[in-house]
Amino acid sequence: GSQTADRDFLFKHRYLLSPAITAERFTVDGLQAAISNSIDLLASPAGMMLKPLLTRDPTGELLELLGGLNAGAQPNGRAGVWASRDGERAMLLVQSKALGSDTDGQEVAINAIRSHFAEAAFAGAKLQISGPGLFAVNSRATIKEEVSQLSLISTLAIIAVLLFVYRSFKLLTLGLLPVLSGALAGVVAVSLAYGTVFGITVGFGSALIGEAVDYSIYYFVQSGRSGVEVWRERFWPTIRLGVLTSIFGFGALLFSGFPGLSQLGLYALSGVLTAALVTRFVLPQLSGTDLKMRDLAPLGLLLTKIIHALHSLRWPVVTLALAAAALLVTQRDGLWNPELSALSPVSKADQAIDMALRADLGAPDSRYLVVINAADHEMALQAAEKTSAQLDRLVASGQIGGYDSPARFLPSLASQNARRASLPTDEDLRQRLDAALQDSPLAANKLTPFLNEIASARQAPNLLRENLNGTSLALAVDSLLLPQSKGWSVLLPLRPGAKDIDASEVRKALAGSEALFIDMKLEFDKLYNDYLHEAMLLSLAGLLAIVALLAVTLRSSRRLAAVLLPLVLAVLIVIASLHLLGERLHLLHLIGMLLTVAVGSNYALFFDRTEGQDQLDPETLASMLIANLTTAIGFGTLALSNVPVLHAVGVTVGPGAILALLFSAIFVSRETRS
């Protein structure tokens, strides 16, 4: 099996692999000490393995070599196989031919493992698999499944609402045309710009349905009463301004260095713009002038009465918003989740299984790495050997439990040449053996195989990467010694010992060397916080762009404040509510705040009354309620998702859109309500 192939390889090449091979090893004193140790080991549990090899390896180089490989980190052995610490699980380490980034290839490999296990039909046995490949496959499947389910739920719910309102399959079909056009435009735009569309981006498309359908609702309800030309003159400018605010908000995300955000921004921007243009220029041509719309005036009149009653809630809402702002300020330190894991779709159960299996295998902690970059393959291995000497001192002092290095299985050519040069000639070795074994129970004439092994090793060619083929050692070398566009990189994963690794001690030990110590968790969290800081700046830029657009268009500070006030209050109350519910904010909650402002501005603008315009008519109020309902459905269904990024957008924008409409109605001016 694989273990036999590995052991045979190590034994055959032990004199080139073992760091114990030095000139001192083959002096009279060195031989005497090594051979005496081997004889003593014959009485130990290791004696069963050593005895058949004694005449070929009396100095115990194989045991020396095995003892230095992953010392203290070997999995338990049961009946010749790796086992968990409690002996209840057999352990296998599997290498796939597919790259870790090839999710399709990883899925094929995982399915093949499961298929072979099922065919073996072990009674009462079950299979547990873990690793980054499984996480990627499961995450993709989870996102795909939830996007499909949530899209179906929101689509059916929105269709039900529209059928109830329109009472016409023709209008329903026409009303969904901007949505389909927007979704298609978003996918095409992202595909052209990035080459691929993330599942999260497509998931956001289900929420976009809710907003994109708003435009057709406004068109059918408002033009059904006033006619197409009146709609174009009276209502389209307001819709157009709302579309522009959404575009300005989404457009800020285009400049993000986080690929998912930039994709989301481009998808949303393209989708909203296309949906609006289809509504403006295509729907009038397809629907004609004779729209048979259900009379929504009774609903609008009811809403007018409700708005009058809502006026009394102004000060309670302001008080609530001030309390929310005070809460967010006083608890700002615990408001944001600073860890990248906040965005991970990997379940806690899968993470627990992974940690348990890693511990049973003695796998290194993937958190701590020493990284070395070198110009070529040989220099990389030499640098790894030099760094290993520094890490060995940390192991000896208990600062780290151990580490892995590709140079253990594939030493540099310089080290191989030095070890080969330290092997004595046949004549010298015979003389030294005679002297070393004078008082030993082992006679020198019994060690002819040893002499032959040394003579063969002195003539052996250097080990190359190809020589490792057929052994599992190739996996270790290939995973730790990586070709780059310019040179090579060496990874030396560190394992903690009895205590956690002290990063400062490791950095101190490596000071002045070309090796770089990396705390992967710390670096990923720093990267995430950089993205979070960037997103805050972009969101602020998007908000300022929206404010500037509204200021230029409205030309009145009073009207600008009236439009922005309900949006700001909605964001404050939603975020404070999420915090009280125990939800720590992350990157996508921030984006949800920006989307709330972008989406909610549509409602606030309709409540804004410009000089010379008629007051809000019942049909407009009804169209706003229906549009808000579809938007809340589109975004709100995402709140049901177990994927953190989708959930965050849903719980922020869904209630945020509802509150934006409600607060716009509460703070509408008396003239508009009258």
Side-chain angles (χ1 to χ4, degrees), residues 14-44:
R14 62 193 182 279
Y15 294 110
L16 296 181
L17 290 171
S18 176
I21 301 299
T22 61
E24 289 74 17
R25 183 79 164 175
F26 296 97
T27 62
V28 173
D29 290 341
L31 287 169
Q32 186 179 49
I35 294 174
S36 295
N37 184 59
S38 294
I39 292 174
D40 291 341
L41 286 174
L42 289 177
S44 72

Side-chain angles (χ1 to χ4, degrees), residues 419-441:
R419 291 166 187 169
R420 186 186 295 105
S422 68
L423 299 176
T425 62
D426 186 72
E427 182 179 349
D428 288 341
L429 182 57
R430 288 179 184 274
Q431 293 176 356
R432 296 172 187 174
L433 275 176
D434 288 337
L437 296 176
Q438 283 184 357
D439 299 322
S440 172

Side-chain angles (χ1 to χ4, degrees), residues 16 72 106 117 156 160 197 204 206 220 243 266 357 456 484 519 554 611 626 640 651:
L16 296 181
Q106 293 294 324
F117 181 81
L156 291 177
V197 183
F204 182 75
S206 65
F220 288 138
V243 171
L266 180 58
L357 294 181
S456 176
Q484 305 293 343
D519 182 340
L554 300 178
E611 187 67 28
I626 297 165
L640 304 175
V651 296

Side-chain angles (χ1 to χ4, degrees), residues 617-664:
D617 56 76
E619 285 77 8
T620 299
L621 288 175
S623 67
M624 291 170 62
L625 177 63
I626 297 165
N628 180 259
L629 181 58
T630 59
T631 298
I633 291 173
F635 282 101
T637 50
L638 296 183
L640 304 175
S641 176
N642 292 316
V643 179
V645 291
L646 295 179
H647 173 78
V649 172
V651 296
T652 307
V653 184
I658 295 173
L659 291 182
L661 175 63
L662 177 62
F663 293 165
S664 296

Side-chain angles (χ1 to χ4, degrees), residues 169-448:
F169 283 102
K170 175 185 176 182
L171 292 183
L172 172 64
T173 304
L174 292 175
L176 293 177
L177 182 60
V179 175
L180 299 176
S181 302
L184 180 61
V187 170
V188 171
V190 172
S191 298
L192 292 176
Y194 298 95
T196 184
V197 183
F198 295 151
I200 296 297
T201 305
V202 177
F204 182 75
S206 65
L208 186 63
I209 292 173
E211 185 182 1
V213 79
D214 290 1
Y215 307 133
S216 60
I217 292 173
Y218 295 141
Y219 172 72
F220 288 138
V221 175
Q222 294 165 352
S223 66
R225 173 180 180 272
S226 307
V228 175
E229 292 302 323
V230 174
W231 175 82
R232 286 174 177 168
E233 293 177 4
R234 287 187 51 198
F235 297 105
W236 171 248
T238 302
I239 296 173
R240 180 178 59 201
L241 182 57
V243 171
L244 288 176
T245 59
S246 296
I247 290 175
F248 275 45
F250 297 141
L253 303 181
L254 293 176
F255 303 98
S256 174
F258 195 82
L261 291 188
S262 55
Q263 275 203 17
L264 189 150
L266 180 58
Y267 185 99
L269 187 153
S270 305
V272 168
L273 179 60
T274 301
L277 292 176
V278 169
T279 302
R280 169 63 177 82
F281 297 103
V282 177
L283 281 190
Q285 302 299 321
L286 296 178
S287 60
T289 57
D290 185 21
L291 289 177
K292 296 182 179 180
M293 268 294 304
R294 177 187 178 187
D295 184 13
L296 297 178
L299 175 60
L301 293 173
L302 175 62
L303 292 174
T304 302
K305 296 178 181 179
I306 293 175
I307 291 174
H308 280 279
L310 289 175
H311 179 65
S312 60
L313 297 177
R314 281 188 171 189
W315 287 111
V317 169
V318 170
T319 303
L320 182 62
L322 290 175
L327 174 70
L328 297 179
V329 170
T330 56
Q331 301 191 21
R332 59 187 179 276
D333 292 337
L335 196 61
W336 296 94
N337 191 329
E339 298 184 356
L340 182 63
S341 59
L343 304 181
S344 174
V346 180
S347 68
K348 298 294 184 182
D350 285 345
Q351 293 179 32
I353 291 174
D354 184 69
M355 291 179 64
L357 294 181
R358 281 180 175 274
D360 285 339
L361 275 175
D365 190 335
S366 57
R367 173 173 178 174
Y368 299 106
L369 282 178
V370 174
V371 181
I372 307 167
N373 293 314
D376 58 41
H377 188 271
E378 173 66 10
M379 292 178 65
L381 288 173
Q382 289 185 26
E385 291 166 343
K386 180 180 177 181
T387 304
S388 293
Q390 297 167 304
L391 295 177
D392 286 338
R393 289 192 286 271
L394 292 176
V395 174
S397 64
Q399 295 294 331
I400 63 175
Y403 65 94
D404 286 338
S405 171
R408 285 176 171 163
F409 311 105
L410 185 62
S412 67
L413 298 181
S415 292
Q416 292 185 52
N417 290 333
R419 291 166 187 169
R420 186 186 295 105
S422 68
L423 299 176
T425 62
D426 186 72
E427 182 179 349
D428 288 341
L429 182 57
R430 288 179 184 274
Q431 293 176 356
R432 296 172 187 174
L433 275 176
D434 288 337
L437 296 176
Q438 283 184 357
D439 299 322
S440 172
L442 183 63
N445 60 8
K446 298 289 186 181
L447 299 183
T448 300

Side-chain angles (χ1 to χ4, degrees), residues 244-256 532-550 564 590-591 593-595 597-598:
L244 288 176
T245 59
S246 296
I247 290 175
F248 275 45
F250 297 141
L253 303 181
L254 293 176
F255 303 98
S256 174
L532 182 60
H533 180 68
E534 176 195 67
M536 288 181 177
L537 294 178
L538 291 176
S539 297
L540 180 60
L543 177 61
L544 292 176
I546 291 174
V547 172
L549 172 66
L550 294 176
L564 293 178
L590 177 64
I591 302 307
M593 298 180 209
L594 179 61
L595 298 183
V597 173

Side-chain angles (χ1 to χ4, degrees), residues 470-512:
T471 72
S472 62
L473 306 179
L475 168 62
V477 172
D478 291 343
S479 61
L480 301 176
L481 183 61
L482 309 174
Q484 305 293 343
S485 57
K486 294 182 180 179
W488 290 75
S489 291
V490 181
L491 307 181
L492 306 178
L494 307 184
R495 289 189 301 275
K499 59 181 180 179
D500 291 337
I501 292 177
D502 186 339
S504 63
E505 291 295 330
V506 179
R507 291 192 175 95
K508 185 188 302 182
L510 298 176

